Amino acid sequence: MCKKSLLFVAFLFFLELIFFSCSSETPIDLNSGSGETLRMTFSGRNSSVIWSREIENSVLSRKINTSAYISSNLKLDPEIYIVSAADEPPVYPSLSGFGSLDSTQISPEAKSTVENFVKNIISWNFDENLVSKNSVFSLILFKYDIENGWKNGFGEEFPSDSEKKLFSSYYFGEPFVEEDSLLVPVRLKNSKGFVDIQLFIDKTENFRITQILIKKWGK
């Protein structure tokens, strides 16, 4: 019994020692107006923190929902952007039985010759200055072939009224380019059909026409 009493007294002494130790600490009053609040503590520590420098801050402010190859009215999503960024050649329209309408390889000088020739043909006028001096016969043969092939091609006689325009529109096709010359396909159209011709142009002769061929009549 004596041994148990001694153990009980020691246990009480231990509890008293713990209570005395805890009661000696200063309590923190979170509701006290004079004490340091959590907001003040956070503000103080936040101001002392050295934050890392923002990397590529322009990326965050740059407008990326537009592209040089996409209309601004079209919403840009990842799939469309990937397609627009691909290095693909442009696609040009084409006419059935005629070919591509890509005329980017026709030089300004050659284009001027073709346009002036076609504008004259529409009104059935002929400018020998657009044709090489050694190839005037080609212009004469072209005039003869159109006038005599008109009925077979369009089902009626060649118009006798010189004031009337023979064609209402025309198209240039993709040219075949060589070192000193190029071949330009042209389609002449009217309400009855079309005539496909080919113009051979010599670069060394100030881009004059050296040959004119009729390739096809169509409706």
Side-chain angles (χ1 to χ4, degrees):
M1 293 293 292
C2 183
K3 187 176 180 180
K4 292 182 178 180
S5 298
L6 290 175
L7 289 174
F8 180 75
V9 172
F11 178 73
L12 291 178
F13 176 78
F14 179 73
L15 290 177
E16 184 177 2
L17 181 63
I18 293 175
F19 176 79
F20 177 80
S21 175
C22 292
S23 62
S24 63
E25 295 180 0
T26 303
I28 298 176
D29 185 2
L30 297 178
N31 298 320
S32 174
S34 60
E36 187 182 50
T37 64
L38 291 177
R39 184 183 297 276
M40 292 171 60
T41 302
F42 173 77
S43 299
R45 293 190 178 185
N46 182 59
S47 62
S48 63
V49 172
I50 300 176
W51 297 96
S52 62
R53 182 178 60 85
E54 185 177 4
I55 301 175
E56 296 185 359
N57 57 347
S58 62
V59 174
L60 301 178
S61 60
R62 189 171 63 219
K63 188 176 182 181
I64 60 173
N65 63 336
T66 59
S67 170
Y69 305 100
I70 301 177
S71 171
S72 59
N73 297 325
L74 183 64
K75 183 179 179 181
L76 189 63
D77 56 31
E79 291 79 8
I80 294 179
Y81 183 80
I82 290 173
V83 173
S84 69
D87 186 16
E88 295 290 339
V91 178
Y92 294 91
S94 61
L95 294 176
S96 177
F98 181 71
S100 172
L101 298 181
D102 177 14
S103 60
T104 55
Q105 296 186 62
I106 303 178
S107 65
E109 297 85 356
K111 187 175 182 179
S112 176
T113 296
V114 175
E115 286 182 337
N116 289 329
F117 175 81
V118 171
K119 289 176 181 178
N120 278 304
I121 294 304
I122 286 176
S123 300
W124 210 232
N125 295 319
F126 299 90
D127 185 357
E128 294 183 6
N129 293 321
L130 299 175
V131 181
S132 171
K133 292 181 179 180
N134 298 324
S135 303
V136 176
F137 68 91
S138 183
L139 188 62
I140 298 172
L141 289 176
F142 172 74
K143 181 177 183 297
Y144 175 85
D145 290 340
I146 290 291
E147 292 178 349
N148 287 273
W150 195 272
K151 186 172 183 178
N152 289 333
F154 294 144
E156 60 182 53
E157 298 292 338
F158 184 79
S160 57
D161 187 0
S162 60
E163 298 295 328
K164 186 177 181 179
K165 290 186 177 181
L166 297 182
F167 302 98
S168 56
S169 61
Y170 60 90
Y171 303 100
F172 295 167
E174 183 176 9
F176 180 77
V177 181
E178 294 186 331
E179 184 176 355
D180 296 327
S181 63
L182 70 157
L183 182 157
V184 181
V186 179
R187 172 165 287 189
L188 304 168
K189 290 195 65 178
N190 57 24
S191 59
K192 304 171 187 62
F194 64 85
V195 182
D196 288 346
I197 65 175
Q198 292 180 339
L199 301 179
F200 294 81
I201 299 176
D202 193 335
K203 298 179 183 179
T204 64
E205 290 194 31
N206 199 23
F207 294 90
R208 285 188 170 87
I209 298 171
T210 58
Q211 190 175 5
I212 309 167
L213 294 180
I214 298 176
K215 295 297 294 182
K216 182 170 58 177
W217 296 76
K219 295 184 179 180

